[in-house]
Amino acid sequence: QFSVNIDNKDIQFETMSDYHKIISQCSFNRIPNVTSTATMDLENAKIDLAMNMLNKICMLLSFSNGNWITPLYTDYFKEGILLRTVFHKNKTYRFNKSRHLIESRNSPFVPLIDFLTRSYIKYDSLVKEFSIHKVIEYYISAHVNNIEQEKFAVGYIALEVICNAVPPYATKKGEV
């Protein structure tokens, strides 16, 4: 369990009580499953902003973990009472137990917390300028693929996304 403060919003992450059993099953079956929860206190008017922030954090967690991490559902509570559950239409990728860029399976989570707090603002600007969310998704897709030629092809597409963003960025900055 760890907490992180991003953009003046506290987010608590907690692994499921049977986390290691779930990871073993994911490793064996290579199917996605709920392994952790994220909790945020928010006001009704800011639900969309909070979900947008959580999706960005999940993208950063995906990059650091080497697996696709996405909110599968959202529970809404008021005064400790569950008001509703919303299931999200999200794509999933096969689970890959190895190749974490930043260790996130065991405490202490200091490197992961540091990564999230330092990279969130920069990531937010790179989404706009370089479609970095697409690059990370292609990276994860290549990362979990078993066929080397497909890994290469998908990785190449990720690099193309970056290359295609450079000319407009340079023009915008007046460095062409």
Side-chain angles (χ1 to χ4, degrees):
Q1 177 175 351
F2 70 93
S3 297
V4 64
N5 185 296
I6 297 178
D7 205 19
N8 294 318
K9 187 58 94 175
D10 288 323
I11 305 145
Q12 293 80 38
F13 293 91
E14 186 172 348
T15 57
M16 303 300 276
S17 59
D18 55 349
Y19 172 79
H20 294 290
K21 181 180 176 185
I22 294 169
I23 292 298
S24 295
Q25 290 171 347
C26 289
S27 298
F28 179 74
N29 299 326
R30 303 200 42 107
I31 57 171
N33 204 338
V34 177
T35 58
S36 303
T37 61
T39 305
M40 299 171 69
D41 288 328
L42 51 104
E43 300 158 16
N44 287 336
K46 298 183 181 180
I47 288 174
D48 289 341
L49 292 174
M51 284 306 299
N52 187 31
M53 174 186 278
L54 183 59
N55 283 321
K56 290 175 184 175
I57 292 168
C58 284
M59 189 64 73
L60 291 169
L61 287 169
S62 296
F63 178 70
S64 71
N65 185 277
N67 280 295
W68 190 247
I69 297 173
T70 186
L72 299 175
Y73 65 91
T74 304
D75 285 335
Y76 293 91
F77 291 88
K78 184 172 184 176
E79 298 173 7
I81 298 171
L82 179 63
L83 299 176
R84 67 182 168 137
T85 298
V86 176
F87 291 93
H88 304 290
K89 295 179 184 179
N90 285 326
K91 64 186 129 225
T92 58
Y93 291 101
R94 291 178 310 146
F95 177 78
N96 184 2
K97 187 174 181 179
S98 61
R99 300 192 206 155
H100 289 73
L101 293 175
I102 299 171
E103 178 57 52
S104 60
R105 293 169 288 188
N106 299 305
S107 186
F109 297 103
V110 173
L112 183 61
I113 293 168
D114 189 46
F115 168 74
L116 290 173
T117 55
R118 289 174 176 240
S119 62
Y120 182 83
I121 300 299
K122 190 64 176 175
Y123 170 82
D124 199 29
S125 70
L126 291 174
V127 165
K128 297 169 191 148
E129 302 289 351
F130 290 95
S131 300
I132 199 72
H133 60 295
K134 293 178 183 177
V135 175
I136 291 174
E137 184 175 350
Y138 285 130
Y139 166 78
I140 298 298
S141 178
H143 183 70
V144 300
N145 199 315
N146 289 331
I147 301 169
E148 293 301 318
Q149 293 87 341
E150 289 181 12
K151 282 184 179 190
F152 175 80
V154 174
Y156 181 82
I157 293 169
L159 293 173
E160 277 294 311
V161 170
I162 294 172
C163 289
N164 288 334
V166 170
Y169 178 78
T171 300
K172 180 179 169 184
K173 296 291 183 181
E175 297 179 14
V176 174

